[in-house]
Amino acid sequence: MANKPLPTIGVDNYTFFELTSDGSGGAEYGEAYSLRGTVEISPTDAGGSEVFDADNGAYETSSYIEKIGHDITNADIPPEVDALWRGIERKNGVVEVGNDTKTVYFGVAWRILKSDGSYRYVRYYKGSYSFASNVGGKTKPSSGSIDKQTAKATYTAVQRDYDNNYYAYFDESDLPDTVTREELEEQWFSDMNYYPAA
């Protein structure tokens, strides 16, 4: 009897790192930036298979994955994060958006809480963000009730040049005896090249 996957019940510790170099010598990342207020992360991955017919039948089947990445819903995207993701400099704290934006690549990591209380740790090695303006608003209701609003962004992953990998994940239940949960948590969110090896 096959095991059913455990339902996931939460996500946190969304952390991103600017990719500073990516080549034959390896991939290097800048300082970790922890983005607070993660509401939801939804994978955008889509895949399928194609059949090539020859000799009056199926000759070869190839599988593919496309649109690799994720959508993030957050309580807010602060101005400094907005500027980082767009690759622009703030002027005296002001985020000024024009055509002078550039593609900046980031690695990103987070963890997912599963229903048994254990975590799945996820990281994407290289990708860029796209998102609509987060300057919308809505009239405050006269009753004074709080109306929760959120911001959304899309992270589109590309293969890392160094090793052609897109992403990786690791279940806490596979942790070697010689590695503590505390070490895993600390290293996963500070080093994009960390492996929980014995």
Side-chain angles (χ1 to χ4, degrees):
M1 184 171 163
N3 290 334
K4 286 182 166 180
L6 290 169
T8 58
I9 57 175
V11 59
D12 67 0
N13 281 26
Y14 192 88
T15 305
F16 64 89
F17 312 72
E18 186 173 352
L19 180 64
T20 56
S21 68
D22 178 21
S24 59
E28 307 232 347
Y29 297 86
E31 293 293 315
Y33 188 110
S34 181
L35 180 64
R36 296 172 45 89
T38 305
V39 176
E40 181 181 18
I41 294 175
S42 304
T44 56
D45 303 13
S49 59
E50 291 181 348
V51 177
F52 174 68
D53 292 319
D55 295 333
N56 276 336
Y59 184 79
E60 181 180 270
T61 303
S62 59
S63 296
Y64 60 89
I65 307 173
E66 60 184 5
K67 298 180 184 171
I68 297 174
H70 57 271
D71 290 331
I72 175 172
T73 303
N74 220 62
D76 186 29
I77 297 175
E80 64 270 18
V81 174
D82 188 327
L84 284 170
W85 287 357
R86 292 181 195 271
I88 58 179
E89 293 285 330
R90 291 197 295 163
K91 296 176 184 172
N92 297 328
V94 176
V95 178
E96 204 166 49
V97 180
N99 290 330
D100 189 23
T101 58
K102 60 183 180 177
T103 301
V104 182
Y105 290 109
F106 297 90
V108 64
W110 69 87
R111 67 181 183 177
I112 305 163
L113 179 62
K114 299 195 289 185
S115 60
D116 68 348
S118 69
Y119 285 99
R120 172 168 289 166
Y121 291 80
V122 182
R123 67 181 173 209
Y124 280 68
Y125 293 113
K126 182 179 182 179
S128 61
Y129 290 93
S130 59
F131 49 99
S133 168
N134 61 354
V135 296
K138 187 169 151 182
T139 300
K140 184 177 176 182
S142 57
S143 64
S145 65
I146 298 172
D147 190 13
K148 301 282 192 281
Q149 297 184 43
T150 57
K152 296 179 186 272
T154 297
Y155 178 92
T156 302
V158 296
Q159 283 182 307
R160 191 163 63 172
D161 295 340
Y162 162 57
D163 55 10
N164 294 324
N165 287 327
Y166 287 107
Y167 67 91
Y169 66 90
F170 177 79
D171 279 352
E172 184 182 14
S173 58
D174 295 325
L175 202 59
D177 292 338
T178 56
V179 180
T180 65
R181 181 179 187 177
E182 291 75 21
E183 178 190 329
L184 173 63
E185 283 185 20
E186 180 184 341
Q187 295 297 320
W188 194 267
F189 299 109
S190 63
D191 182 359
M192 283 293 292
N193 293 308
Y194 167 76
Y195 287 89

